[in-house]
Amino acid sequence: MAHPITTVDYHTAGEPFRIVPMPPLDIPGDTVAEKRMNAIASAEIDGLRRFLCYEPRGHADMYGGFITDPDDEGAHFGVLFWHKDGFSTACGHGTIALGIWALRSGLVAPDPSGSTDVVIDVPSGRVTARVHMDADGRTTSADFVNVPSTLIAESVPVETSHGTVTVDLAWGGAIYACLNVAGLSNTGGASLSVAAENLPTFIRLGREVKAALAGDSRIEHPTDPRLSGVYGTIIYETLDGAGTSTTSPAEGAGAAEGAGAAEGAGAAEGAGATEPDGSLHQRNVTIFADGQVDRSPCGSGTSARVGALWSQGLLAHDGELIHDSIVGTRFRARILDEGQALGRPAVVPIVTGSAYEVARSEFTLDPDDSLVPGFVLR
């Protein structure tokens, strides 16, 4: 590496995102999806990912992206998302950060209306970060407009160290297994909630669920095998208006086995509402890749939850999902439109959050450093 690598670091609802505006390597491919596969196969490109993600420059829960050319002139730019275990297909929190960065860096000019669409090509498709600014030009929030999202399968039994649990499989640009925390307990027999003290248990469970589903035909993408496989496990609970867990085993994953999933999409609209205004309030922690913990409510995971809840009749078309993270940060999600995904009825979700710049860095390589590209301890 002849020159320093310049990065701009953001956090979105607590989750890091390291932007590499000008990667020092050529990443071949006519589309971002092709670039991802070429990056996976390239020792040099993957080595750059590890150099910027691993300790001592990063950590086991680091996330980032290489800015690339878009697939065509319909998008402002493309991005290859990465984490400690490789290159992902989608990243909602990263999209929110990229939208705000694109305006602040001058890459995209702000619209005089105060809302600017930043169109980004990602491996799972074309997404939009709709960035909102106040009259003083200050960024207030960004909407992540994702690909159509939907429920894939409901009440799938999975063997874990906690016995047999049931999960819903959902698509939000990546495939997620959604696990209701209700009915789970710790080694002392106490019920679990989505709280930081239970994180080691959730990391273990997330890994177990993903491994157990590895050979399941339902996690195969019907048209693009590059998008197959469970990316993460969303462990969630439903909250009431006071922020207290109300989730029972009858709600969400495990409920109404064989109820028809997507065939009943939109039925009993609003049946899952927990807030006076009719919105649904949930808290989650998403364990993705190999045991990584999302500090945010997870953007693509929130999209998957919207698709699943709508398909199950628990989120009305005009309803809202208030989605909290394990660290107390929040996304709000609603439905923009209906569509199709994976050959099923689906909805286009909008996930609203914000992101903040935390650092600008130049990473260098000392030729005498024996710890290149670095290491991770989990």
Side-chain angles (χ1 to χ4, degrees):
M1 188 174 65
H3 303 287
I5 300 171
T6 300
T7 69
V8 184
D9 284 21
Y10 274 70
H11 85 83
T12 305
E15 178 71 358
F17 193 75
R18 176 164 288 166
I19 301 167
V20 187
M22 299 180 66
L25 298 173
D26 178 59
I27 305 175
D30 292 332
T31 66
V32 174
E34 290 180 7
K35 291 178 188 294
R36 174 176 176 261
M37 299 309 294
N38 290 330
I40 291 171
S42 167
E44 194 174 18
I45 298 170
D46 193 57
L48 178 62
R49 171 192 66 82
R50 290 182 290 148
F51 179 78
L52 292 170
C53 190
Y54 286 9
E55 295 187 47
R57 298 166 189 84
H59 51 82
D61 293 306
M62 193 60 179
Y63 218 116
F66 298 140
I67 303 302
T68 73
D69 290 334
D71 292 356
D72 56 49
E73 294 181 355
H76 290 104
F77 56 90
V79 62
L80 283 185
F81 297 120
W82 46 257
H83 48 72
K84 80 172 177 67
D85 297 303
F87 294 89
S88 57
T89 62
C91 178
H93 90 272
T95 300
I96 290 172
L98 286 166
I100 293 174
W101 164 79
L103 262 68
R104 289 183 173 174
S105 67
L107 181 62
V108 176
D111 190 284
S113 69
S115 294
T116 306
D117 281 2
V118 180
V119 184
I120 308 169
D121 283 331
V122 306
S124 60
R126 179 163 288 173
V127 300
T128 298
R130 183 165 296 144
V131 184
H132 304 288
M133 305 178 77
D134 63 18
D136 296 324
R138 186 177 65 91
T139 302
T140 56
S141 64
D143 301 331
F144 165 43
V145 184
N146 199 5
V147 298
S149 303
T150 191
L151 181 70
I152 298 172
E154 194 171 17
S155 302
V156 177
V158 179
E159 295 299 324
T160 73
S161 58
H162 280 254
T164 302
V165 300
T166 55
V167 301
D168 296 336
L169 298 175
W171 166 260
I175 297 174
Y176 289 90
C178 306
L179 172 61
N180 190 337
V181 77
L184 297 178
S185 59
N186 60 23
T187 53
S191 296
L192 291 177
S193 63
V194 179
E197 62 263 26
N198 296 320
L199 190 55
T201 297
F202 294 148
I203 293 173
R204 183 175 67 251
L205 262 175
R207 283 173 156 165
E208 290 174 352
V209 168
K210 180 174 181 175
L213 290 168
D216 196 303
S217 61
R218 286 167 289 195
I219 64 171
E220 296 177 4
H221 193 282
T223 60
D224 190 343
R226 297 172 298 187
L227 303 177
S228 296
V230 171
Y231 176 56
T233 302
I234 302 171
I235 300 170
Y236 72 92
E237 60 188 350
T238 301
L239 306 176
D240 62 18
T244 304
S245 178
T246 64
T247 304
S248 69
E251 294 175 334
E257 288 197 21
E263 286 87 341
E269 289 200 346
T274 60
E275 299 288 319
D277 63 0
S279 57
L280 176 61
H281 192 181
Q282 294 189 340
R283 177 166 55 218
N284 91 95
V285 61
T286 299
I287 311 300
F288 66 94
D290 184 19
Q292 282 195 237
V293 179
D294 199 326
R295 275 78 170 153
S296 81
C298 186
S300 56
T302 298
S303 300
R305 292 297 296 142
V306 168
L309 290 164
W310 174 80
S311 297
Q312 293 167 321
L314 296 173
L315 185 67
H317 194 283
D318 60 352
E320 182 180 54
L321 172 63
I322 302 171
H323 217 206
D324 292 352
S325 74
I326 197 168
V327 301
T329 53
R330 177 172 292 178
F331 288 159
R332 291 180 176 270
R334 62 190 190 280
I335 294 169
L336 174 65
D337 202 355
E338 296 185 14
Q340 291 281 318
L342 315 186
R344 304 167 182 271
V347 290
V348 177
I350 299 180
V351 180
T352 301
S354 197
Y356 306 91
E357 184 179 320
V358 297
R360 296 179 181 227
S361 305
E362 283 191 348
F363 291 97
T364 57
L365 172 61
D366 187 324
D368 297 323
D369 186 354
S370 62
L371 283 179
V372 174
F375 60 93
V376 288
L377 295 176
R378 189 182 74 246

